[in-house]
Amino acid sequence: MFDFQTLRYSSPMMDLATFIANSTGTEVRSSHFSFIFKTYHEEVIKTMMEALKKSRSEISDIYR
């Protein structure tokens, strides 16, 4: 796995998009994108909950 974060300042979503684009074929991305994105989103929410020491319901709706 490569960390593209040092290339430029941007959203972590850009890291994920670049990683997926560079490590999977079109068929895999097309058929599994919803699963990949949902899994990534859930991990972001868990990280926020841990970092902020808040429950899922306490995190702003914009992140849920």
Side-chain angles (χ1 to χ4, degrees), residues 37-55:
F37 188 77
K38 183 177 179 179
T39 302
Y40 172 78
H41 181 258
E42 285 300 316
E43 290 303 316
V44 169
I45 295 296
K46 286 180 193 176
T47 301
M48 288 181 64
M49 288 168 43
E50 290 173 12
L52 299 173
K53 297 183 183 348
K54 293 188 176 193
S55 69

Side-chain angles (χ1 to χ4, degrees), residues 10-49:
S10 67
S11 164
M13 190 62 200
M14 292 301 296
D15 287 344
L16 177 65
T18 302
F19 173 72
I20 291 170
N22 290 333
S23 63
T24 63
T26 304
E27 188 174 311
V28 171
R29 283 193 306 271
S30 297
S31 60
H32 299 288
F33 183 78
S34 292
F35 172 76
I36 293 167
F37 188 77
K38 183 177 179 179
T39 302
Y40 172 78
H41 181 258
E42 285 300 316
E43 290 303 316
V44 169
I45 295 296
K46 286 180 193 176
T47 301
M48 288 181 64
M49 288 168 43

